[in-house]
Amino acid sequence: MELKYVQTTCPYCGTGCSFNLVVKDGKVVGTQPYTRSPVNEGRVCPKGTYAHEFVNSPDRLTKPLIKKDGKFVEATWDEAYDLIAQKFKSYKPDEFAALASARVSNEENYLLMKFTRGVMKSRHIDHCARLCHASTVAGLAASFGSGAMTNSILDIAESKCVFIIGSNTFEQHPLIGRKAMQAKLNGGKLIVFDPRYTPTAKQADLYASFYSGTDVAILNCLMGEIIRNGWEDKEWVSTRAKGYEELKAVVLSDTYLPENVEKISGIAAEDLKTAAEWIGTAESSALLYSMGITQHTVGVDNVKSTANLQMLTGNIGRRGGGVNALRGQNNVQGACDMGALPVVFTGYQKVTDAAAHKKFADAWGFPDGICEPKNGYEVTVMMDVLTDKPGELKCMYIMGENPMLSDPDLNHVKHALESLEFLVVQDIFLTETAELADVVLPAACYAERDGTQTSTERRVQMWRKAQSPPGEAKEDWQIISELAAKMGYAKQFPYQDIEEIFTEVAAVTPSYHGMTYERLNKPEALHWPCPTAEHPGTPILHIGKCSHPDGMGVMHAIEWKPPAEVPDEEYPYIFTTGRCIWHWHTGSMTRRSATLDAEVPTGWIEINPEDAKALGIQNKEMVRVTSRRGTIDVATKVTSDIKKGVMFMPFHFAECAANILTHNALDPIAKIPEFKACAVKIEKITEA
């Protein structure tokens, strides 16, 4: 018997915890602590503890599949490649779109971006950041010149006031929640605002529930109170910020007085005043948020408002401060960094910038050039184009994404994907999306590859291969390179291993210039920006100056706007969605992990006891929930942990998919959907 430990990085959330995979006779059989990681110090959440269980699932894809007469048949790699290459060559650049993945490595996202823009000459590439943190990228870039989390996870523990809004940190990023608790143990205050009384809220010194979609009003109210009491950081505002007078005029208006915001948000005026005092007078204050802030038609406004508050109080470029956007998927930050977005190459170099376009065209060396220097379609726009403009988009290549469960208004998504002439899906399981494909390619999972991923705090960390992929499955970078070669571009994809790809990434990406596998192969790894080989990396952004060319932060005067869809007589309840600690996103991995699936085998809808009584609904009763987009049947969870008038569902479960109900109304800038607020009605199932 051969037994070994292989240290790697967790494939679930964006925290970037490390653990050891236990490998017995060439197969992953367990996990064990890796204590040298500064992020998690040997501790992991339940998902990390059981991150080995899906790896050798009998459901793993092991051979290419080609759909014939509506059924999948196994094929050889050459048969699959020949068919894909023949089909891909038949489409014009603007008829092709690709979805990259927050689940795969930086190197593989980079390669799919290069394939899309170089081989296919297409502008259309995106990934699931569009659905979770597109508004963070846009909002923080507008405020600071960089669209990333400003501080490190470790220095949250030094904060004297941690303000969590729009994040159930203790369930979604538990090891970051641990840092918030360390701050509290060190004498800091913990404030949590959330529509639900979550495990995070239960640890707070001050908790308040509010109506989903009122974030700007709440944040403006806090800023107004801070200014009225003289708690703002006058030096920071006068020397490092632009737009203060315009912001001040808005937040000091009567609309945002605590008594008026109480009526809008449902938070008591006294609680708003207390929160403002704690934030405004703390030596350092860290703001943490996640998708509760971003997934709105005003997501960019919400993000800019968090930045306004932190600039106003001088908490930018300060240890224990910052705007800490907690990224969802393990590599959603890295997929954005790698240019798997319709408007940028790697490192946020704009595709419309002539110099950037020439730089990548020259570096890649495609003899027939690359895509034109125009922005492409976001994934949410792709779905609308497929349904509303038949024949414009005809072909799609999806790597490691499952829009048939993750995107809003799933009936609309199904219609969109079925409108394609040709769909290729590359994944580790036959997901709900893969079932719609013409060709399915079997890929390797995190435990079967080397490579890097970039965590929410911009820390670039390594994966390490623990076992071989099952059957004939291959690593994503190999599949993309071999497919490019089939299409006549072997010279542009000459890689012998994944490290060669990272070397190319570092060469074309200023924020990664100073990184090598040798430098990353240590517990601390490196935070970007890391511009030179001697540079130590940058755990905290905007020290001394922001990332705009003039070094200034930009404050934005923003008025509160209600969600795109609000309750009415027919649909009287606010509906919101989120995650639970036992499952991850579309459940393709966690629901194939026996221990995790046994804890929570299916979904539920949370209802306040007063609402349940008025509806005559009992706990655990099956009910019918309907929005303007669809209907689902689901079991109730009657609990005072949810605010009256609000209902919550987790979105992991295909059999009661919350996203059948959610609204695909979009933020006009980030094109992110409004997952966190729509209107529903709920009925007893009379035939039950």
Side-chain angles (χ1 to χ4, degrees):
M1 181 181 74
E2 183 194 12
L3 196 68
K4 64 177 180 177
Y5 281 3
V6 178
Q7 187 251 316
T8 195
T9 309
C10 185
Y12 285 114
C13 83
T15 304
C17 299
S18 295
F19 51 70
N20 287 309
L21 287 170
V22 182
V23 185
K24 178 183 176 183
D25 295 332
K27 290 288 183 187
V28 170
V29 296
T31 64
Q32 282 292 308
Y34 175 75
T35 56
R36 289 194 59 206
S37 165
V39 178
N40 60 306
E41 300 171 300
R43 293 162 178 84
V44 286
C45 79
K47 289 185 287 291
T49 302
Y50 300 107
H52 62 285
E53 288 193 344
F54 72 87
V55 171
N56 291 302
S57 164
D59 288 351
R60 286 291 301 276
L61 291 167
T62 58
K63 288 189 175 182
L65 303 174
I66 294 175
K67 191 172 280 177
K68 294 180 180 176
D69 300 322
K71 292 186 177 179
F72 285 118
V73 296
E74 291 182 351
T76 66
W77 277 102
D78 278 338
E79 286 171 333
Y81 287 151
D82 286 341
L83 175 60
I84 295 168
Q86 174 205 333
K87 287 285 193 178
F88 279 8
K89 286 177 180 177
S90 72
Y91 294 107
K92 297 172 184 172
D94 268 3
E95 294 173 341
F96 175 90
L99 296 184
S101 176
R103 310 228 58 77
V104 310
S105 68
N106 288 322
E107 294 83 351
E108 289 156 327
N109 279 300
Y110 172 79
L111 274 207
L112 187 60
M113 186 271 291
K114 182 177 179 177
F115 182 93
T116 303
R117 292 184 165 130
V119 174
M120 299 303 297
K121 323 295 181 203
S122 173
R123 303 174 291 129
H124 307 314
I125 182 167
D126 204 4
H127 75 289
C128 71
R130 185 70 44 206
L131 308 174
C132 57
H133 274 283
S135 29
T136 289
V137 176
L140 295 187
S143 297
F144 305 132
S146 169
M149 179 170 166
T150 65
N151 284 52
S152 76
I153 292 168
L154 302 188
D155 77 271
I156 293 169
E158 300 178 27
S159 180
K160 295 305 174 189
C161 180
V162 178
F163 176 30
I164 300 176
I165 182 169
S167 167
N168 180 8
T169 315
F170 285 49
E171 287 200 80
Q172 312 327 331
H173 302 88
L175 274 298
I176 296 178
R178 182 168 173 261
K179 295 300 169 191
M181 288 304 292
Q182 287 173 351
K184 186 176 174 179
L185 289 170
N186 291 333
K189 297 287 192 185
L190 178 59
I191 304 167
V192 178
F193 287 177
D194 196 295
R196 300 168 66 222
Y197 189 48
T198 63
T200 312
K202 288 168 185 172
Q203 301 300 324
D205 297 297
L206 172 64
Y207 163 70
S209 68
F210 67 96
Y211 297 116
S212 185
T214 60
D215 308 87
V216 167
I218 293 164
L219 292 162
N220 279 353
C221 175
L222 298 179
M223 288 185 274
E225 280 296 289
I226 286 166
I227 293 169
R228 271 188 287 274
N229 285 282
W231 295 324
E232 75 275 22
D233 188 325
K234 295 176 179 62
E235 183 183 355
W236 206 104
V237 169
S238 63
T239 60
R240 293 195 54 187
K242 298 192 291 192
Y244 172 65
E245 291 302 325
E246 294 83 354
L247 173 75
K248 182 178 176 182
V250 168
V251 302
L252 288 180
S253 70
D254 287 353
T255 305
Y256 304 112
L257 288 168
E259 293 73 20
N260 293 330
V261 171
E262 177 176 339
K263 295 169 191 165
I264 296 170
S265 69
I267 299 178
E270 286 307 310
D271 288 342
L272 290 163
K273 291 176 184 177
T274 299
E277 181 177 1
W278 288 2
I279 294 164
T281 60
E283 182 185 329
S284 59
S285 180
L287 190 149
L288 278 58
Y289 75 78
S290 192
M291 296 189 294
I293 284 286
T294 59
Q295 288 180 331
H296 294 271
T297 49
V298 292
V300 173
D301 284 354
N302 288 348
V303 170
K304 287 177 178 175
S305 297
T306 67
N308 287 342
L309 176 63
Q310 294 304 84
M311 285 188 277
L312 181 69
T313 53
N315 278 298
I316 298 301
R318 175 184 290 179
R319 287 193 72 81
V323 179
N324 299 286
L326 308 183
R327 307 303 293 259
Q329 306 265 30
N330 59 308
N331 200 29
V332 71
Q333 182 64 58
C336 292
D337 296 347
M338 294 301 105
L341 296 167
V343 297
V344 289
F345 294 108
T346 65
Y348 310 95
Q349 300 168 85
K350 293 180 180 177
V351 297
T352 55
D353 179 77
H357 190 271
K358 183 178 186 302
K359 169 183 171 178
F360 281 86
D362 291 348
W364 289 343
F366 285 92
D368 47 357
I370 64 172
C371 64
E372 56 183 338
K374 291 181 181 176
N375 292 338
Y377 287 149
E378 299 85 359
V379 60
T380 44
V381 175
M382 290 176 197
M383 299 303 170
D384 288 341
V385 169
L386 283 166
T387 54
D388 302 343
K389 300 177 182 177
E392 184 175 329
L393 280 176
K394 297 179 180 179
C395 173
M396 190 175 279
Y397 183 5
I398 299 177
M399 173 178 69
E401 295 268 285
N402 190 12
M404 271 302 299
L405 210 52
S406 62
D407 289 30
D409 191 357
L410 291 180
N411 290 322
H412 173 70
V413 175
K414 188 170 190 284
H415 177 198
L417 294 179
E418 288 177 342
S419 301
L420 288 162
E421 289 181 9
F422 190 65
L423 172 62
V424 177
V425 172
Q426 190 166 303
D427 215 315
I428 62 174
F429 295 113
L430 192 68
T431 63
E432 291 79 4
T433 303
E435 287 174 358
L436 300 179
D438 297 286
V439 182
V440 177
L441 302 177
C445 78
Y446 82 105
E448 297 152 358
R449 64 177 87 192
D450 296 314
T452 62
Q453 67 176 48
T454 305
S455 74
T456 187
E457 60 173 347
R458 297 168 285 102
R459 194 189 294 264
V460 183
Q461 297 167 278
M462 300 193 79
W463 278 340
R464 293 169 183 85
K465 187 171 182 173
Q467 70 170 41
S468 296
E472 297 175 20
K474 298 186 179 190
E475 295 177 47
D476 291 289
W477 71 268
Q478 294 173 308
I479 299 171
I480 297 165
S481 298
E482 290 168 3
L483 185 54
K486 276 278 185 187
M487 296 187 67
Y489 296 98
K491 187 178 177 184
Q492 285 72 37
F493 291 77
Y495 316 104
Q496 298 302 303
D497 60 42
I498 203 163
E499 185 174 359
E500 290 183 6
I501 305 168
F502 189 84
T503 301
E504 183 176 318
V505 168
V508 295
T509 313
S511 53
Y512 283 63
H513 268 345
M515 296 186 188
T516 62
Y517 270 25
E518 184 181 3
R519 293 195 72 198
L520 295 175
N521 192 18
K522 58 182 181 179
E524 300 77 22
L526 288 164
H527 296 79
W528 69 254
C530 179
T532 66
E534 298 74 38
H535 196 281
T538 313
I540 301 175
L541 296 177
H542 317 309
I543 295 175
K545 63 178 183 178
C546 292
S547 298
H548 285 301
D550 62 1
M552 300 293 279
V554 179
M555 291 177 155
H556 297 87
I558 296 166
E559 297 281 6
W560 170 71
K561 303 182 199 78
E565 185 177 84
V566 295
D568 59 18
E569 202 170 316
E570 187 178 2
Y571 298 95
Y573 300 102
I574 297 170
F575 180 73
T576 191
T577 66
R579 299 175 291 217
C580 72
I581 194 169
W582 303 102
H583 285 293
W584 196 245
H585 287 237
T586 66
S588 58
M589 298 189 301
T590 53
R591 298 194 76 188
R592 289 176 174 89
S593 300
T595 306
L596 298 174
D597 197 50
E599 289 287 344
V600 180
T602 192
W604 68 90
I605 187 164
E606 290 183 11
I607 304 176
N608 180 276
E610 289 184 52
D611 292 326
K613 185 177 179 183
L615 292 161
I617 287 171
Q618 305 296 314
N619 188 42
K620 297 185 180 179
E621 180 179 348
M622 288 297 291
V623 294
R624 188 154 289 154
V625 189
T626 304
S627 75
R628 289 179 173 87
R629 289 152 296 281
T631 297
I632 59 171
D633 293 349
V634 64
T636 61
K637 182 178 180 181
V638 178
T639 172
S640 56
D641 289 351
I642 187 82
K643 193 171 185 68
K644 184 175 181 288
V646 181
M647 299 192 179
F648 166 87
M649 271 188 72
F651 52 65
H652 315 293
F653 304 98
E655 67 275 14
C656 49
N659 285 330
I660 285 174
L661 306 173
T662 49
H663 201 353
N664 63 354
L666 304 178
D667 180 288
I669 297 169
K671 300 295 192 291
I672 193 171
E674 190 143 60
F675 287 107
K676 286 295 185 276
C678 70
V680 297
K681 63 183 176 183
I682 187 165
E683 304 161 285
K684 291 176 76 72
I685 301 175
T686 51
E687 63 266 28

